[in-house]
Structure formats: structure tokens, C-alpha cells
């Protein structure tokens, strides 16, 4: 798709694109029917032009809309109204990008060397391993992208558009520049629009501009002198924003990448995503294995040359040993284990876009979470009503419905049974522009809470009893709203003002207060009483609104207060407690006031003694280093907007933290990409936000993040288990061959036996370690230090101990059978079978680094049981099946031989279990800190 520069107007004529400068507009006649141009207007220019001139340039018919023929013609040029991020990267390139992994490159080099040395068996096996690895990785990432596409198809954006004179309901992707779109309450703006009709229109642009309060819209041209940032363009509705109240019509001026989303995409693409900890660990392991392999080649060649052997022969042996040292199955198991994790996460209502992100969650030690919709339900609910004459009522029920009661001293209040309460509820219902339909809110959340309160008292119909004569809409600056209404039975009267808003604003218009139906003068004592009540409600995390009514705005009668709260989601408090106890710091980011934010955080267990809070304004005043110094002690960021998130992420990363950041708005996209784990909301998140994120919460639930962290820790443990098994087996096999070569001993294993051991080492028993069920206690363990290699000191000790036991045991059997100094098939069969049995017991002990075999359960991992059983059956066939005996040069063993080998080889499992017991006794697992401070 061709991307148009933002500051200019463009048109196409006779297959040529011509740029029109603004001063040329008067000289050209874009409205001419003979012209075939396809114009695009930038939001800046469209906002400065009168409606008729903008429509003329866009060749738009404001009343009848475009014809289907014209729509088709424009779509050929502009394409669909959507973002196609991957259109410039074909599938073959995505497949080839999988070969950039260091282990893959090392395997490729080994395959090439094997071909040069005419070791075609090794070359073929390595090549097959490479193809399996890259194909599995490619298929899983492709499936993840398709899952993401399916998520978008569940609720595709729709719109109302006028075409051929008829109002049509169609998908937003079908819009083209020049279309006429109709907007109403609750709808997402489907494209950038130049408004030409607007009735009490208020649009929530927080997802794009970061402004927390809805923006009032008009249709008049914007003077060039005041046309600054996006928020100043009051006659343009931007794609992805939400209509909070009112209705409007507009002409489409920009679609897809030609909308204002384009600038956000540029920023998002410029922000390079950091490597995941698993990628870093695999890179490090790849380099370590490379040095290890080439070191062996050098030593073998040097020793062989000193012994007078041929340099070419020694190089062949060295390359063979180096190839044997590379565990071909490692990338396969890592990829398959992560892929299975992705599949399990889908069942837990989370879509992971990149495989390594699942593991990254396992070492996440900071979560920066939005409050609204993630920690809370995003359903404002009235919980308290305080009347001007001192009555205090409790309200039950949650959500935008009539389920619940209003209780005064334990007695239910309904209708007008208590006039003091009913008057407050009546004002809240009449001075209201929102609607609740089928428990879905169309309008502002705060107004929805007031309608739900009226429904609980049976007063939701009172709004229809009044005729609205005049309205003063709510704005973020004045913080109050008023309507002048007259009762339908008294339309000859002047009407009554109903006012609601912030208490300090509403009380300015009041000269009296209601006391049991009488208006008494408002004195200082009453004002102090109301202020105390507001402080009390605020300390409980309630958002407080004041209500008044009267015949004149300057002399209203104050009626009372209501306290509104966005209740926490079920299970979030428990999830937060579990995460904090495991060493994960959680930062809440909200646009609420300090009192409300701290109250909610305290209720959720996020804010405790020793924790601090910081405002968005204070974040602006601190530089990155200063913020990094204080951010460990901060539990709550209040009055914060999306633009502060990137700075918070960078300050935490400065401390070495692995940061997960949640977001749903367009402006969150940059912070999500900069974070180690960007988490987008599936229900409320914008397309840009989902594209930038690494993981998407389908149900916007914080508990899903905890499930993902649990999955990530379990997956990393499984990868460590596999690494332990494969490296110990690889080192043991390599040591045996190296000792035989360096000391001029006969080789204890022939080529086919080594190949069979390699199949077991990289085959089903090893692969099945990657699907070990996640330990239920893993979520309580502290996050892994991101700086740690996958080969920790403890793991390396276990690898070397296991390898030492395997080598010693196998050499003992070889020495025991070689008493006559002549190698026979029985000698190699005993040695070969001993090594294979050692492998099986080593795999059994490698299923967990901390739990004993009897605690895990022998049959808890069925794939492992089947894999070990199959391997043992295969080994018995190699020993007892005549055709295979001739291939592997083996002979039958007696039952006593097998019992001797089983008792000997089980020692590797016994020693491993003893080490686990000793580690547990020493208290190897330290209890993480439970305060709000961040340890990195």
C-alpha cells in the first residue's frame, strides 16, 4: 500500500500522482465530473477547511453518499480500511528467518563439515534435525498469528454508512475516502472523519491522545493558528476512538495507514523489541557449545599429531566428536515445549504471539497493570448515597443492571418511599445522557452507574416524565453538567435545573440545602459536614458526585452525594497476593485521584506500609535516572496517562527488571513494545495495541497473567530438565569416545551403537521431558534472574555428577568384560546396554530438579512412560532379534546380566535423589520478600 505524506494533499489522474499545495486548490476544480482523481485529506488540512470545500475535494455527496461503482473504484486505489502489517514479509522469508538462531547456524556448519569429511550419515541426521526445528518454529508462530486473526474476526469493527442514498450496516474495513458515516453513542469511529453534523457529540480520545476526559466535537472550521496537536482538532473524529455521547455524521478523510494511526505505527516500529531471556540463554549456550566443540577438535588433533597419527585422520575424529557434542534435540525440545505452552495458554484465554514470550513470563519480576478493566471490572457502581439532611444509605449489587437494593438502616428504599434519597436519584437519572440496554452501557460509565441506581429503586422511567429544554454538557474543565427540564404535565412553566458533578463545583451554585422536603439556608456547618463525608467516601476509594436542583442556577438547593466505585474483579486480590509472595512486584497505573487509587490498591493488597505513590505530573518532572531511583518504592502511579508508561518501563529496565506492561490504547503501543512482555486487552484493546503486544488477554482478566507466569516457570523448568539429561548423556558419550581415542584403547562402542544412543539421547525419552506437567507449587517460587544462564552452577554440578557416574559405571562394565583383552560382541553388548539403561534412569531422575520421583508419580507424565517403554523394547530387540544383532554386532544376554545392569545403572537415579534431598534440607529455595520493593 502506498503511504501518503501527512502534510500534503494528493490526487491521482491518468495513473499519475500529483501533489496539490493548498494555494492550488482554488485553481483546480476537483468537483468536475470529468475528473477521475482519488484524493486524500490529512486531518490537519481537513479540520481547517469548511465542510463544503472538504466535500468538494473528496468528491463526496453528504446526503446520498458514494455509489457502489465509485466505492469499488476508490478501493482499487486505497485498498481496505485495515492494517496489513505482514504484507511486506512473505512466508518464505518468515521461514528463512528461523535459521538465524546460533544453534541452527552451528548445526548447519557441522552438517557442511560432515559432508566435506564424507560423513554422510551425520550430515543427513543433522539436516533432518534442522528442518524439524525450523519447521516446528515456523508453523507454531504462523498458527499464533492465525489465532490472533481469528480473535479479530470474533467481533469485527462495524459501522453505519450512507451509500446510494440508503443507510447501510457494514464492516469498517469496507470504507473508502469520501464515504459518509453516521456515528451514535457507544460506537467506535471506523476511520478518520471530517464532521459535518454533530449533536451533543463527545468522543473518548484517550486511546489516541492520552486525554482521560471525552472531547467535545463541533463542525466549524479550525483556525490554522490554533490547529496544533490532535486533541485541538475539534471537528475531526479519529479512527479507533469511542463515541461517549451524542450523534454525528462525517466524511471519511483517511483510512488504514493513511489515518492518524500511521504516526503511532512509525513510533512502534522504531522501538526495537528486546531479546527474551530464553533467547539470550540459548544464544549463550550455543556459543558455549561452539567453543567446547572447537576446543575438543584442537585438543584431539594436537594429541593425535604428537602421537604421530595422520593429521587428516585426527581432524576426522575431532569433527565427529564435535558433532556428537552438539545436542541436536535441544532446539527441537525448546520449540516443542514452548509450542505446547502456547496451546495451553489459548485454553486459559490468552494468545501468545511469539513462542519465547511464554518462558519470559517465568522470569518476569515486575507487572505494570492498568486499573480499569484489568484489576477492576470497568463497571462503575454506586455503593453509597448520602443525603443533604444526613441520611446514609448503602447500595448493593454490581454492574449495569437493576439487581441490588438501596438500604437505609437495613430497610429497603423503593420508589419515592424516602423523598430525600429519591430526589438525589431523580436528578442523577434526568441529568443523564447514557442508556442501558440488555445490561450493556451506551454512554459514560459514571452516568451508567446512576441509571443502574435508579433501576434498583424502580425510578428508571422518571427520565421520560421530563422534557429537556436546555443542556449545559459536562466538560473536563468545568466538571459539572446541568439540564433545564419541565414535567410533561406542566409544560407551560419555566422548568427546573437539575445539576450533577464534582461537589466543589456543584456547591458553588447552591444557596440552600434540602432537609425533609424543606429548603434551609446553606451554612458553614453544613458545608463542613458534607466535606467530612466526601473525605470519608474518598478514603474508601469512592468517586464522589454532588447533586442539586432549583429554578435558578445561582440559587440551587443541594440534595446530596453519591459514592461510586469500579469494583475489583473476582480472584484478582488472591492472584496479586500469590504473585507478591513469589517475588513479583506489581505497579498499578491509573488516571484516578490519589485517594481513589490508593484505596483500590490497598483493597487489592497492592499498597501497604512502606509503599509510596507518584503522580503523572511528578513522573514528567523526574528524569529517567531519578525515576529509576524511586520507582522500586512506588506501588501506585495516579493521574497517569499512556504517555507516562514508556518512561516507567525504561526506568524499571534500567534496574535490570523484566517488565510486563498491560495496555489497551493506541498510545500504549510504544510502551508495550518497549516492555519485555507487552500485554494487550482482547476486548477493549485497539488493533495497534494488539499488534505491538506479545500476549493478548482475551477476557482482559489479570488472573490470566498469573496463569501465564505459572506456565512460563513450568516451561523453563522442563527445558532445564531436558538440558540436564541431554548434556549429561552427551558428555558421558563424548568422554567414553575421547578416552578411548586419546589412550589408544579399543573403542567400547561401535558406530551403529553410538547412532542408537544418539537416537535415544535426542528421541522420545528426551522429548517427553518437555511435556512434564507443571508443578502446582511453581508459581510460589521466585522469578529467575534474567542474567542467569540456563546452565546454572547447580545444574552443571548435577550434569557432571550424572555424567561421571555413567562414565565410571560403563567403564567398569567394559573393564569387567575385557578380562581376556579381546573385544567380543558380548563385551560391546554389555557396555552398550549398560549405557542405554543408564540413560533411562538418568531421564527418570531428570524429570524434576527439586521433587523426588515418588512425589512426582511414575505415571504422571504418560508420554515419558511410553517413550521409556518403547526405548527399552527397542534395546531388547537390538539384543535378541537376530537381524538386528547382525547390524549392531550384539549377542543375547542372560536374565542375570540384565538384573546386574539394572542394579548398577539405577545408581545414577539414587545419587540424584540424594542430592535433591540434601538441597531441600539446606533450604536451597529462599523465601522471597513480600513488601512492595523491587529486588533486581
Amino acid at each position: 500500500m502506498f503511504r501518503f505524506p501527512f502534510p500534503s494533499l494528493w490526487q491521482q489522474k491518468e495513473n499519475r500522482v500529483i501533489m496539490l499545495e493548498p494555494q492550488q486548490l482554488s485553481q483546480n476544480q476537483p468537483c468536475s465530473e470529468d475528473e477521475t482523481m482519488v484524493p486524500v485529506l490529512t486531518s490537519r488540512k481537513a479540520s481547517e477547511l469548511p465542510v463544503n470545500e472538504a466535500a468538494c475535494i473528496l468528491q463526496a455527496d453528504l446526503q446520498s453518499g458514494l455509489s457502489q461503482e465509485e466505492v469499488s473504484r476508490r478501493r482499487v486505489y486505497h485498498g481496505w480500511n485495515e492494517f496489513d502489517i505482514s504484507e511486506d514479509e512473505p512466508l518464505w522469508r518468515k521461514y528463512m528467518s528461523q535459521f538465524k538462531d546460533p544453534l541452527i547456524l552451528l548445526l548447519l556448519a557441522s552438517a557442511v563439515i560432515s559432508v566435506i569429511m564424507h560423513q554422510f550419515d551425520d550430515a543427513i541426521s543433522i539436516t533432518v534435525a534442522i528442518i524439524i526445528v525450523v519447521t516446528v518454529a515456523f508453523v507454531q508462530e504462523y498458527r499464533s498469528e492465525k489465532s490472533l486473526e481469528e480473535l479479530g474476526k470474533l467481533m469485527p469493527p462495524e459501522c453505519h454508512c450512507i451509500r446510494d442514498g440508503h443507510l447501510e450496516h457494514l464492516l469498517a474495513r469496507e470504507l473508502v475516502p469520501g464515504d459518509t458515516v453516521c456515528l451514535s453513542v457507544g460506537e467506535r469511529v471506523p476511520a478518520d472523519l471530517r464532521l459535518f453534523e454533530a449533536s451533543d457529540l463527545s468522543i473518548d480520545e484517550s486511546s489516541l491522545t492520552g486525554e482521560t476526559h471525552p472531547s467535545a466535537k463541533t463542525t466549524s472550521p479550525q483556525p490554522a493558528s490554533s490547529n496544533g496537536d490532535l486533541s485541538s482538532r475539534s471537528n475531526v473524529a479519529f479512527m479507533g476512538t469511542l463515541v461517549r455521547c451524542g450523534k454525528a455524521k462525517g466524511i471519511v478523510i483517511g483510512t488504514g495507514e493513511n489515518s492518524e494511526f500511521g504516526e503511532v505505527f512509525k513510533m512502534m516500529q522504531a522501538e526495537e523489541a528486546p531479546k527474551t531471556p530464553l533467547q539470550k540463554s540459548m544464544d549463550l549456550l550455543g556459543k558455549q557449545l561452539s567453543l567446547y566443540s572447537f576446543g575438543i577438535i584442537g585438543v584431539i588433533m594436537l594429541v593425535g599429531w604428537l602421537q604421530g597419527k595422520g593429521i587428516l585422520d585426527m581432524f576426522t575424529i575431532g569433527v565427529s566428536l564435535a558433532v556428537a557434542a552438539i545436542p541436536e534435540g535441544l532446539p527441537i525440545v525448546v520449540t516443542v515445549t514452548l509450542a505446547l505452552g502456547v496451546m495451553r495458554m489459548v485454553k486459559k484465554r490468552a494468545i501468545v504471539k511469539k513462542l519465547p514470550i511464554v518462558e519470559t513470563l517465568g522470569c518476569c519480576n515486575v507487572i505494570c497493570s492498568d486499573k480499569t478493566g484489568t484489576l477492576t471490572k470497568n463497571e462503575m457502581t454506586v455503593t453509597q448515597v448520602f443525603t443533604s439532611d444526613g441520611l446514609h444509605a448503602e447500595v448493593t449489587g454490581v454492574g449495569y443492571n437493576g439487581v441490588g437494593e438501596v438500604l437505609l438502616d437495613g430497610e429497603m428504599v423503593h420508589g419515592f418511599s424516602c423523598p430525600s434519597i429519591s430526589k438525589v436519584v431523580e436528578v442523577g437519572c434526568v441529568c443523564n445522557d447514557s442508556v442501558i440496554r440488555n445490561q450493556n452501557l451506551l454512554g459514560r460509565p459514571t452516568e451508567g452507574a446512576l441509571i443502574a441506581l435508579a433501576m434498583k429503586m424502580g425510578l428508571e422511567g422518571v427520565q421520560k416524565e421530563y422534557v429537556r429544554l436546555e443542556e449545559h454538557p459536562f466538560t473536563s474543565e468545568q466538571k459539572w453538567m446541568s439540564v433545564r427540564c419541565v414535567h410533561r404535565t406542566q409544560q407551560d412553566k419555566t422548568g427546573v435545573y437539575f445539576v450533577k458533578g464534582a461537589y466543589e463545583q456543584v456547591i458553588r451554585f447552591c444557596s440552600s440545602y434540602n432537609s425533609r422536603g424543606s429548603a434551609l439556608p446553606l451554612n458553614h456547618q453544613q458545608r463542613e459536614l458534607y466535606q467530612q463525608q466526601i473525605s470519608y467516601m474518598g478514603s474508601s476509594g469512592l468517586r464522589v458526585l454532588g447533586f442539586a436542583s432549583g429554578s435558578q442556577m445561582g440559587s440551587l438547593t443541594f440534595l446530596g452525594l453519591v459514592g461510586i466505585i469500579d469494583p475489583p474483579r473476582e480472584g484478582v486480590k488472591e492472584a496479586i497476593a500469590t504473585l507478591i509472595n513469589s517475588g513479583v512486584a506489581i505497579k498499578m497505573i491509573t488516571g484516578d485521584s490519589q485517594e481513589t487509587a490508593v484505596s483500590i490498591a490497598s483493597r487489592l493488597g497492592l499498597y501497604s506500609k512502606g509503599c509510596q505513590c507518584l503522580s503523572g505530573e511528578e513522573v514528567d518532572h523526574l528524569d529517567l535516572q531519578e525515576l529509576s531511583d524511586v520507582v522500586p518504592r512506588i506501588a501506585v502511579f495516579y493521574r497517569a496517562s499512556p504517555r507516562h508508561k514508556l518512561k516507567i518501563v525504561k526506568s524499571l529496565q534500567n534496574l535490570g527488571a523484566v517488565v510486563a506492561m498491560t495496555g489497551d490504547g493506541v498510545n500504549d503501543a510504544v510502551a508495550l513494545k518497549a516492555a519485555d512482555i507487552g500485554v494487550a486487552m482482547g476486548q477493549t484493546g485497539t488493533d495497534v495495541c494488539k499488534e505491538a503486544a506479545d500476549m493478548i488477554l482475551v477476557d482482559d482478566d489479570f488472573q490470566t497473567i498469573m496463569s501465564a507466569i505459572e506456565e512460563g516457570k513450568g516451561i523453563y523448568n522442563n527445558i532445564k530438565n531436558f538440558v540436564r539429561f541431554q548434556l549429561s548423556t552427551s558428555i558421558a558419550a563424548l568422554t567414553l569416545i575421547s578416552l578411548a581415542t586419546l589412550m589408544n584403547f579399543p573403542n567400547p562402542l561401535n558406530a551403529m551403537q553410538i547412532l542408537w544412543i544418539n537416537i535415544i539421547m535426542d528421541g522420545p525419552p528426551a522429548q517427553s521431558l518437555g511435556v512434564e506437567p507443571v508443578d502446582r507449587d511453581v508459581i510460589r517460587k521466585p522469578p529467575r534472574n534474567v542474567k542467569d544462564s540456563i546452565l546454572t552452577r547447580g545444574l552443571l554440578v548435577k550434569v557432571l555428577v550424572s555424567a561421571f557416574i555413567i562414565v565410571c559405571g560403563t567403564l567398569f562394565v567394559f573393564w569387567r568384560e575385557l578380562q581376556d583383552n579381546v573385544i567380543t560382541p558380548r563385551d560391546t553388548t554389555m557396555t552398550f546396554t549398560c549405557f542405554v539403561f543408564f540413560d533411562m534412569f538418568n531421564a527418570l531422575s531428570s524429570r524434576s530438579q527439586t521433587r523426588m520421583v515418588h512425589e512426582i508419580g511414575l505415571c504422571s507424565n504418560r508420554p515419558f512412560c511410553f517413550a521409556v517403554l518403547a526405548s527399552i523394547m527397542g534395546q531388547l530387540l537390538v539384543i535378541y532379534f537376530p537381524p538386528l544383532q547382525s547390524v549392531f554386532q550384539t549377542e543375547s544376554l542372560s536374565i542375570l546380566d540384565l538384573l546386574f545392569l539394572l542394579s548398577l545403572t539405577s545408581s545414577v537415579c539414587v545419587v540424584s535423589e540424594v542430592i535433591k534431598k540434601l538441597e531441600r534440607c539446606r533450604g536451597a529455595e529462599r523465601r522471597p520478600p513480600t513488601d512492595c520493593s523491587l529486588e533486581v
Side-chain angles (χ1 to χ4, degrees), residues 614-623 627 637 640 644 647-648:
L614 201 68
S615 69
E617 186 178 354
E618 289 170 320
V619 170
D620 284 330
H621 291 156
L622 296 173
D623 63 29
L627 185 58
F637 293 90
H644 296 121
K647 194 170 183 180
I648 294 170

Side-chain angles (χ1 to χ4, degrees), residues 768-779:
S768 62
L769 288 174
V771 295
E772 190 72 31
V774 175
D775 184 358
R776 273 177 272 176
D777 294 329
V778 74
I779 189 63

